[in-house]
Amino acid sequence: MKKVLSVLMVAVALMMAAPAQAQLIKFGVKGGMDFTKLDTNVKTLDAIAESSTGFFIGPMVEFTIPLAGLGIDAALLYDNKSLKVSNDESGESMSETLHYIDIPINLKYTIGLGSLASVYAATGPQFSYNIGGKSILDGSYALNDSDFSWNIGAGVKLL
């Protein structure tokens, strides 16, 4: 029984020592899927923009305050959104692909679950710059050169 208790105490001590060696600045790659609901002027377009899906990928940097669990992460992401637009009157639908460079800057709170995993919640502004076409629907609707949005997210970090 003493050996089992000793092994458990050593394991707990090792798990507590690992976060003390955590780096303050980390670099990596961020990627994933995004789900967007685009707001449009239905009277001008005579169409309804449905929810769009896409993917994003790019380099990221994260600064963390080790004891508090607070940090900031920023990234430079290529964002590819596929937009499906349906016309109310004719029932026709068409798809457009939108290309953006996104710069999200998020405040992140992380709760460690030992040295193998942690969970986090993040929120912050995102600045997006249109690098694809400047219009959709055969040129009848002009896209903005830049957009501002707000991110809310959660996730799990492994290893």
Side-chain angles (χ1 to χ4, degrees), residues 56-67:
F56 59 88
I57 189 164
M60 64 150 312
V61 62
E62 180 180 279
F63 173 76
T64 306
I65 302 169
L67 297 178

Side-chain angles (χ1 to χ4, degrees), residues 39-155:
D39 293 327
T40 61
N41 184 342
V42 176
K43 292 179 184 175
T44 302
L45 292 176
D46 291 326
I48 297 174
E50 300 175 8
S51 294
S52 66
T53 59
F55 69 89
F56 59 88
I57 189 164
M60 64 150 312
V61 62
E62 180 180 279
F63 173 76
T64 306
I65 302 169
L67 297 178
L70 284 176
I72 294 175
D73 77 10
L76 181 65
L77 306 172
Y78 167 73
D79 194 354
N80 179 334
K81 296 180 176 99
S82 176
L83 171 66
K84 183 177 179 184
V85 180
S86 301
N87 191 311
D88 274 346
E89 295 174 5
S90 67
E92 296 178 27
S93 66
M94 62 187 308
S95 294
E96 297 279 350
T97 302
L98 309 176
H99 306 276
Y100 287 89
I101 294 293
D102 295 336
I103 304 171
I105 302 170
N106 295 313
L107 179 64
K108 184 185 281 188
Y109 181 69
T110 304
I111 299 172
L113 303 174
S115 61
L116 296 178
S118 60
V119 295
Y120 68 87
T123 186
Q126 175 172 298
F127 306 95
S128 300
Y129 300 96
N130 182 358
I131 60 170
K134 299 298 180 188
S135 63
I136 59 173
L137 297 174
D138 300 326
S140 62
Y141 181 69
L143 294 171
N144 292 336
D145 288 334
S146 63
D147 286 321
F148 174 81
S149 59
W150 197 267
N151 294 323
I152 298 174

